[in-house]
Structures are given as C-alpha cells and as structure tokens.
Amino acid sequence: AQKVTQAQTEISVVEKEDVTLDCVYETRDTTYYLFWYKQPPSGELVFLIRRNSFDEQNEISGRYSWNFQKSTSSFNFTITASQVVDSAVYFCALSLYSGGGADGLTFGKGTHLIIQP
Amino acid sequence: EAQVTQNPRYLITVTGKKLTVTCSQNMNHEYMSWYRQDPGLGLRQIYYSMNVEVTDKGDVPEGYKVSRKEKRNFPLILESPSPNQTSLYFCASSRRGSGNTIYFGEGSWLTVV
C-alpha cells in the first residue's frame, strides 16, 4: 500500500519569506501520480499540481515551485515571497491512477501554513 | 461549468438518525469517491465507484453505505450516525484513465451530537 508523509504539521513564517513544504511518499508501483492541494479556511480543496512518475522536471508557476526527486521519493513544494493569502492547509497526495478511481488518492496529513503579516 | 455538487453543505444531526449526503457530477465521469477529513489525519477514502453499480470499500468504510444507480450520482448514506462520524466529507469524480483531473465537491460539514 502507498503512503504519504508530511512531517511538518504546522509552519509559521513572516510575509515575504520563502517556505518549503515537504512531502515524502512510498509506493512499490513504477507508475503513479503526485498531487498538491490547497485548503483555505473556507474548506474547499484547490488543485495546485499533478505530476506523473515519469516526469521529474521541476515545475514553476508564479511564486510556486515543485521539486520532484524520485531518488529520495520526495515532492516538495516551495512558495517564494509568501503572502498572507497563502495561509492554508496544504495536502500532498499520491495516486496509482490519475483518475483517482481504483485506488483513489492517498493523502498526507497536511501542513498548516501560517503567513504572518 | 464542470461541477461536483454536494448537499447538504452543513448539517447537525443526532445519533442514530439516518442521513444521506448527496453527490452529483455533470461531467459524465466514471470514477467517483467519498473522503472524510479529520484533524491530524488528513483525508481518507471511504468508498469509491468505478462505474454504475460498481462500488468498493476504501480505507474507512465502517458505518457508511453508498450506491451508484446512475452515473452522475453517488450518495453517501449514514444508516445510524454516531459522534465519531462528525467530519468534513468530500465527494470527488474523474474520468477513467490516466492523466485526468480529479474534481472535488466543496465539502459537507457534518456534526453528529
């Protein structure tokens, strides 16, 4: 069975600081998908990124970047120049099928990110 | 607009009173799932369905039932709710196959007293 570990339960930084959220996963399959979701205080899940196991290229989207390293089974998420609006719970998740069907998504326990003004 | 719609969004109920949380998607997706979210535990899959009349247990199915009589609907049934089922529930859907987006509903906050 697969497993996702987000060792950081809560992180608090001051606005404009850079912050990295760690995600370590375990799976025996060679084909899998990794996700990051954001959950703001309003509760909905906001999709941020999907990455398949064959694509180890790092991804940058504005202030967000993701570092996928199969060698260490990690898929870390960095926010550059953090803003108060980034305050949320962030979940890393793993699926053997991107459709989330047969095995669904295995979520980490989440990291609560607090950005202080 | 692609949507997964859950109802009710908020509910306070009493122990033992049967309730159903509805989930409907308008994207003709084959896959649908229910998750519950609890503090410190993240989200865990309750049940999933790969198509009409095909359902299976996820990681935490105890105390829940589901049905998939129509492709668009996947209701979650709590036959006799208990306080430990107080949680935030999410329904999700996606198209069968790889490389597809998973769509989540907005969540249903359920409190059992």
Side-chain angles (χ1 to χ4, degrees):
Chain A
Q2 53 267 30
K3 182 180 178 181
V4 176
T5 301
Q6 294 180 257
Q8 304 150 309
T9 304
E10 184 173 288
I11 300 174
S12 180
V13 300
V14 177
E15 198 172 21
K16 298 184 183 176
E17 287 185 14
D18 299 347
V19 58
T20 295
L21 309 182
D22 298 333
C23 173
V24 174
Y25 63 91
E26 296 175 29
T27 180
R28 293 181 180 177
D29 284 61
T30 56
T31 303
Y32 51 88
Y33 297 84
L34 295 164
F35 301 78
W36 276 95
Y37 287 88
K38 174 183 180 180
Q39 186 177 46
S42 50
E44 74 273 19
L45 288 168
V46 178
F47 168 79
L48 295 177
I49 191 172
R50 174 183 62 241
R51 174 69 59 186
N52 72 56
S53 53
F54 297 109
D55 184 1
E56 281 194 79
Q57 281 190 344
N58 290 335
E59 175 104 4
I60 298 175
S61 177
R63 296 184 296 107
Y64 294 172
S65 62
W66 291 269
N67 181 9
F68 176 30
Q69 291 194 334
K70 287 179 74 171
S71 60
T72 56
S73 297
S74 64
F75 187 43
N76 297 336
F77 173 32
T78 297
I79 302 175
T80 303
S82 59
Q83 300 176 1
V84 172
V85 294
D86 296 326
S87 297
V89 179
Y90 290 85
F91 290 100
C92 180
L94 168 72
S95 176
L96 299 182
Y97 299 90
S98 185
D103 287 327
L105 286 167
T106 298
F107 283 87
K109 294 182 179 180
T111 297
H112 185 198
L113 178 62
I114 301 168
I115 310 297
Q116 299 181 8
Chain B
E1 180 189 355
Q3 269 189 332
V4 178
T5 303
Q6 299 178 221
N7 279 296
R9 294 287 317 282
Y10 305 92
L11 179 66
I12 301 174
T13 189
V14 296
T15 299
K17 184 177 181 182
K18 180 179 177 180
L19 71 92
T20 299
V21 186
T22 64
C23 174
S24 181
Q25 48 95 3
N26 63 359
M27 298 163 278
N28 202 38
H29 285 167
E30 290 81 12
Y31 291 167
M32 297 186 76
S33 293
W34 276 103
Y35 294 84
R36 63 176 287 174
Q37 181 183 357
D38 302 291
L41 296 177
L43 285 86
R44 295 175 293 168
Q45 191 182 47
I46 303 170
Y47 269 95
Y48 63 89
S49 170
M50 297 181 74
N51 214 325
V52 176
E53 302 292 1
V54 181
T55 64
D56 209 344
K57 297 177 180 178
D59 298 319
V60 287
E62 295 78 20
Y64 304 94
K65 287 175 57 178
V66 293
S67 68
R68 189 92 181 273
K69 293 183 170 56
E70 302 167 285
K71 199 172 187 180
R72 64 183 292 125
N73 296 324
F74 190 44
L76 179 69
I77 303 159
L78 286 72
E79 293 272 5
S80 182
S82 61
N84 65 12
Q85 293 178 297
T86 293
S87 188
L88 174 58
Y89 292 87
F90 287 98
C91 181
S93 78
S94 58
R95 193 171 302 282
R96 181 179 58 192
S98 60
N100 296 315
T101 300
I102 302 169
Y103 293 82
F104 281 89
E106 292 183 305
S108 294
W109 297 83
L110 172 64
T111 300
V112 183
V113 298

